[in-house]
């Protein structure tokens, strides 16, 4: 676990996923100083959306890192992939694992989802590692911890390590002095299906042998049950009194060490929690300041665009003043509504109309919108409110809303696919009668701006969904797809 945390610290210090050369140097130094028995390697898996584009990107990364002509495997029906793109040391066994999509296998996927949900180190159930050859397969498991981009907070992938369970136990049991014990271990409750390790040979059958001792050990979110018995090599000493006194002294010493270790661990955990809380507070403050700057800039752009649009259709100064004032009042009323409701929940269409009335004026025809009644929960209302704000502002500044001839088509629906969860799909399609000039086309296709990062953070990270854009010279198509379970209002008990 400390090895994985050290890799995580290395990634955080770099601020991004390091090059394979840097990663190889780091792991080679760890091998010189740390106990690696049972650990097959240390690696990184990308978290990407399933599709041809991500397959091409993974293929290019594997070629760049290891000179392999390989892409993500196996085929999958899941919406996301976590293919292995770095795994060190780069021996023959680990090279076999490169490109393997761990998200495609249910046991690994469950551990990955637990690590993402809790944003910390989590272990999988028992699996057969892809590094194993077919002649001598051994039980194994994996540990995962998520890694996020330093600037945007976007999930980049998972730092992980594969373990061979027999090697892991034997590395501990064979350290001198070798104890005459027979170990049996299960992942969960003692049952044949959960068996993960047993010592070679039989337990002692002597009448004077000690009874079995059973304990539970937590391994990164999973509970292993371990039974300890005397082995056939065990012979009780003649002087039982001395043995008993030694055992009591050992127990008391172990208890004192355990208490001291627990207190120290608790102190470290509290300090780490305070550090993480402080970092989150600073990050949230910086993000809030950036969002405020962005919103103020967009608000000014909206007012300027509204004034230009109003002036084009006004016959006189008084006509302009009346129309422009009405639009400003509608804009203020929308902001007041959102503030008073505190985003506890919101109707999707109502939220959308508030934004569009700021764009087209109070007489905007809702008949242009198509979709069922959908109530959004607090998180989804904030996310879609920001999305509508960005889309409408971009339309004002660069797209179809710059002229009276522009067209805007919006629809939404709930998609139900057999055997899969429901998804809310939202489509925004805007077109201009004439082709956009080069500057405006560049603006709507630009990536990496704060607005784009904001949309990505809200839809992908907060709601676990996806957002795709398809621009052309006359406008842009935007499609948002999120799990319906993440956006709907929870039923009251």
């Amino acid at each position: 676990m400390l090895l994985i945390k050290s890799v995580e610290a290395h990634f955080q210090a770099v601020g991004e996923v390091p090059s394979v050369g840097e990663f190889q140097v780091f792991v080679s130094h760890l091998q010189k100083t740390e106990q690696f028995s049972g650990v097959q390697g240390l690696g990184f898996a990308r978290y990407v959306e399933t599709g041809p584009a991500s397959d091409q990107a993974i293929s290019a990364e594997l070629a760049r890192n290891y000179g392999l002509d390989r892409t993500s495997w196996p085929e999958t029906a899941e919406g996301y992939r976590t293919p292995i793109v770095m795994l060190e040391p780069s021996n023959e066994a680990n090279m076999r694992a490169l490109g393997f999509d761990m998200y495609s296998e249910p046991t690994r996927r469950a551990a990955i989802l637990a690590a993402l949900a809790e944003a910390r180190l989590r272990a999988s159930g028992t699996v057969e590692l892809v590094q194993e050859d077919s002649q001598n397969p051994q039980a194994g498991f994996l540990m995962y911890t998520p890694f996020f981009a330093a600037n945007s907070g976007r999930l980049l992938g998972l730092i992980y390590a594969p373990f061979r369970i027999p090697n892991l136990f034997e590395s501990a049991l064979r350290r001198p002095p070798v104890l005459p014990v027979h170990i049996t271990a299960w992942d969960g409750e003692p049952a044949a299906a959960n068996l993960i390790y047993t010592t070679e040979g039989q337990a002692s059958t002597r009448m004077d042998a000690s009874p079995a001792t059973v304990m539970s050990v937590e391994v990164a979110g999973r509970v292993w049950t371990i039974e300890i018995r005397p082995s056939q090599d065990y012979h009780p000493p003649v002087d039982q009194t001395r043995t008993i006194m030694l055992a009591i002294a050992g127990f008391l010493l172990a208890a004192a060490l355990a208490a001291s270790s627990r207190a120290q661990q608790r102190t470290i955990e509290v300090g780490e929690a305070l550090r993480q809380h402080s970092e989150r507070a600073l990050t949230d403050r910086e993000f809030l300041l950036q969002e405020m700057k962005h919103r103020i800039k967009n608000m000014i752009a909206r007012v300027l665009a509204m004034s230009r649009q109003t002036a084009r259709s006004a016959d006189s100064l008084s006509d302009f003043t009346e129309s422009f004032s009405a639009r400003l009042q509608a804009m203020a009323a929308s902001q007041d509504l959102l503030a008073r409701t505190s985003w506890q929940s919101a109707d999707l269409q109502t939220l959308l109309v508030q934004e569009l009335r700021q764009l087209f004026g109070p007489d905007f025809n809702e008949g242009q919108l198509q979709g069922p009644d959908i109530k959004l929960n607090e998180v989804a209302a904030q996310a879609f409110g920001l999305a509508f704000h960005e889309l409408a502002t971009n339309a004002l500044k660069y797209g179809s809303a710059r002229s009276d001839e522009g067209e805007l088509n919006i629809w939404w629906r709930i998609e139900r696919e057999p055997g899969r969860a429901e998804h809310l799909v939202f489509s925004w399609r805007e077109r201009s009668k004439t082709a956009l000039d080069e500057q405006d086309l560049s603006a709507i296709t630009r990536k990496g701006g704060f607005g784009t990062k904001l949309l990505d953070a809200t839809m992908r990270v907060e709601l676990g969904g996806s957002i795709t854009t398809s621009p052309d010279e006359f406008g842009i198509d935007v499609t948002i797809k999120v799990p319906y379970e993440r956006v709907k209002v929870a039923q009251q008990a």
Side-chain angles (χ1 to χ4, degrees):
M1 293 172 69
L2 288 174
L3 286 170
I4 300 172
K5 297 299 289 185
S6 67
V7 174
E8 181 183 13
H10 174 56
F11 276 48
Q12 290 175 344
V14 175
E16 59 184 3
V17 179
S19 68
V20 69
E22 295 171 331
F23 190 56
Q24 287 172 339
V25 171
F26 181 77
V27 173
S28 67
H29 281 78
L30 286 180
Q31 288 180 281
K32 297 175 184 177
T33 59
E34 300 291 348
Q35 177 65 28
F36 251 71
S37 297
V39 186
Q40 292 296 93
L42 295 165
F44 178 72
R46 290 281 183 188
Y47 183 84
V48 296
E49 190 171 355
T50 303
S54 63
D55 287 346
Q56 291 176 4
I58 295 304
S59 179
E61 188 166 5
L62 290 175
R64 185 172 61 253
N65 289 349
Y66 296 97
L68 291 178
D69 183 14
R70 189 184 303 173
T71 188
S72 304
W73 60 280
E75 293 294 330
T76 181
E78 297 295 327
Y80 291 89
R81 282 185 178 273
T82 55
I84 302 168
V85 295
M86 287 197 298
L87 184 57
E88 296 297 329
S90 53
N91 51 39
E92 181 180 354
N94 284 341
M95 291 290 283
R96 285 198 294 267
L98 290 171
F100 176 65
D101 173 20
M102 295 185 283
Y103 200 83
S104 64
E105 193 276 317
T107 303
R108 292 174 171 87
R109 183 167 63 249
I112 289 171
L113 291 174
L116 295 180
E118 302 178 34
R120 57 175 173 165
L121 192 65
R122 279 294 172 258
S124 75
T126 308
V127 298
E128 181 178 326
L129 301 176
V130 291
Q131 286 95 332
E132 299 289 348
D133 56 37
S134 58
Q135 297 179 351
N136 185 30
Q138 297 191 39
F141 71 100
L142 304 100
M143 289 188 184
Y144 300 95
T145 189
F147 177 64
F148 299 91
N151 295 327
S152 65
R154 181 170 62 90
L155 175 64
L156 298 180
L158 297 111
I159 299 165
Y160 86 104
F163 297 83
R164 296 180 79 183
I165 296 176
N167 290 2
L168 192 64
F169 275 90
E170 290 165 7
S171 69
L173 296 176
R174 291 179 180 176
R175 291 179 183 176
V178 178
L179 301 178
V181 294
H182 183 277
I183 302 293
T184 306
W186 300 267
D187 182 12
E189 296 296 324
N194 299 336
L195 182 67
I196 57 175
Y197 177 78
T198 184
T199 306
E200 294 182 1
Q202 301 294 323
S204 175
T205 57
R206 294 175 59 99
M207 296 296 292
D208 56 353
S210 303
T213 298
V214 179
M215 64 175 63
S216 296
V217 178
E218 183 181 351
V219 181
R222 299 190 69 84
V223 177
W224 287 3
T225 304
I226 301 178
E227 179 188 78
I228 307 173
R229 292 179 179 272
S231 71
Q232 292 179 331
D233 297 330
Y234 172 75
H235 298 284
V238 177
D239 185 2
Q240 296 292 338
T241 302
R242 183 175 180 182
T243 301
I244 293 172
M245 294 301 295
L246 183 60
I248 293 174
F251 175 78
L252 293 175
L253 178 60
L257 289 174
S260 175
S261 176
R262 179 58 183 165
Q264 184 177 12
Q265 181 182 359
R266 181 58 182 162
T267 302
I268 294 173
E269 290 175 352
V270 170
E272 178 66 14
L274 289 173
R275 183 190 66 79
Q276 293 180 357
H277 179 75
S278 298
E279 288 184 353
R280 283 196 301 269
L282 290 173
T283 301
D284 292 346
R285 177 177 175 273
E286 180 64 24
F287 188 81
L288 181 60
L289 289 174
Q290 289 291 336
E291 183 179 344
M292 287 177 62
K293 288 165 60 180
H294 184 70
R295 276 184 168 270
I296 291 171
K297 182 179 178 181
N298 280 352
M299 192 69 71
I300 294 171
R302 281 186 172 210
V303 172
L304 290 173
M306 284 165 54
S307 67
R308 288 195 301 267
Q309 186 185 53
T310 305
R312 283 199 301 267
S313 59
D315 296 328
S316 64
L317 179 59
S318 60
D319 185 27
F320 168 81
T321 303
E322 181 179 356
S323 178
F324 186 58
S325 297
R327 289 192 174 187
L328 287 180
Q329 289 172 0
M331 191 175 181
S334 172
Q335 298 302 314
D336 182 61
L337 171 64
L338 296 178
R340 285 188 285 108
T341 57
S342 300
W343 297 91
Q344 295 301 309
S345 66
D347 177 74
L348 186 148
Q349 182 165 337
T350 302
L351 193 63
L352 177 59
V353 170
Q354 291 287 354
E355 288 293 331
L356 296 181
R357 280 184 174 167
Q358 294 182 34
L359 182 65
F360 296 108
D363 297 329
F364 173 74
N365 182 13
E366 296 184 30
Q368 300 178 37
L369 312 179
Q370 298 180 13
D373 291 337
I374 294 177
K375 295 294 185 183
L376 303 175
N377 60 34
E378 178 183 356
V379 175
Q382 294 184 50
F384 274 93
L386 287 172
F388 297 158
H389 177 87
E390 286 302 317
L391 293 172
T393 300
N394 286 342
L396 268 173
K397 292 195 291 186
Y398 314 114
S400 62
R402 295 190 63 181
S403 69
D404 295 334
E405 298 177 348
E407 295 181 357
L408 178 63
N409 295 307
I410 303 173
W411 58 262
W412 61 92
R413 67 170 181 261
I414 302 298
E415 286 190 351
R416 296 177 175 86
E417 300 179 16
R420 301 188 68 180
E422 296 179 333
H423 282 78
L424 168 60
V425 180
F426 177 88
S427 176
W428 174 288
R429 186 177 191 274
E430 58 177 87
R431 287 293 182 275
S432 297
K433 292 295 185 180
T434 58
L436 301 176
D437 61 37
E438 183 177 348
Q439 183 176 357
D440 290 339
L441 184 61
S442 174
I444 67 171
T445 58
R446 182 177 62 245
K447 299 189 180 294
F450 184 78
T452 303
K453 292 179 180 179
L454 193 61
L455 281 174
D456 185 80
T458 54
M459 292 303 157
R460 297 184 192 274
V461 179
E462 291 189 28
L463 300 182
S466 63
I467 179 167
T468 57
T469 58
S470 302
D472 62 32
E473 60 178 332
F474 291 96
I476 189 169
D477 292 352
V478 181
T479 302
I480 297 171
K481 185 176 182 180
V482 296
Y484 185 51
E485 188 67 26
R486 300 283 292 271
V487 303
K488 68 180 182 180
V489 177
Q491 297 293 327
Q492 296 295 325

